[in-house]
């Protein structure tokens, strides 16, 4: 099969401040016991959580995360399939 699948991530931080991104990631791990990825893409640091294949699963964690991070959003990501 060729094509792509879509998965959802929860974006918790996106900005220019590396220290703030690192602190956000640390806070997610320590306070909420959630594994978070920190990425640097096109002059922005991004902190994202989860790899969800359904919106329903992503929404559950999004609501939980918004209590501590009100600006958290769902971020769709395309995955190539070979």
């Amino acid at each position: 099969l060729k094509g792509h699948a879509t998965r959802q991530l929860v974006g918790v931080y996106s900005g220019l401040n590396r220290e703030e991104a690192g602190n956000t990631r640390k806070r997610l791990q320590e306070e909420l016991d959630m594994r978070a990825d920190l990425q640097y893409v096109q002059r922005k640091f991004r902190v994202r959580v989860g790899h969800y294949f359904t919106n329903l699963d992503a929404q559950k964690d999004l609501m939980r995360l918004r209590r501590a991070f009100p600006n958290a959003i769902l971020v769709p990501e395309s995955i190539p399939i070979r």
Side-chain angles (χ1 to χ4, degrees):
L1 290 172
K2 289 189 177 186
H4 72 279
T6 302
R7 70 177 174 189
Q8 301 288 326
L9 300 138
V10 179
V12 181
Y13 176 84
S14 180
L16 302 174
N17 189 317
R18 181 180 184 167
E19 185 176 346
E20 192 173 341
N23 289 340
T24 299
R25 180 176 184 241
K26 185 177 178 182
R27 189 172 158 207
L28 283 161
Q29 292 172 336
E30 291 177 356
E31 293 177 19
L32 300 174
D33 195 30
M34 296 186 85
R35 183 177 175 270
D37 296 320
L38 191 152
Q39 300 175 331
Y40 179 75
V41 180
Q42 299 175 0
R43 297 182 49 202
K44 280 191 180 180
F45 293 94
R46 296 180 180 153
V47 178
R48 295 180 175 175
V49 174
H51 297 248
Y52 309 97
F53 288 96
T54 68
N55 273 344
L56 184 60
D57 290 336
Q59 286 287 340
K60 289 177 189 175
D61 276 349
L62 177 63
M63 293 302 139
R64 177 179 165 210
L65 285 162
R66 278 196 174 155
R67 290 183 211 133
F69 301 95
N71 294 326
I73 59 168
L74 287 183
V75 180
E77 181 175 76
S78 184
I79 305 167
I81 297 176
R82 297 180 203 191

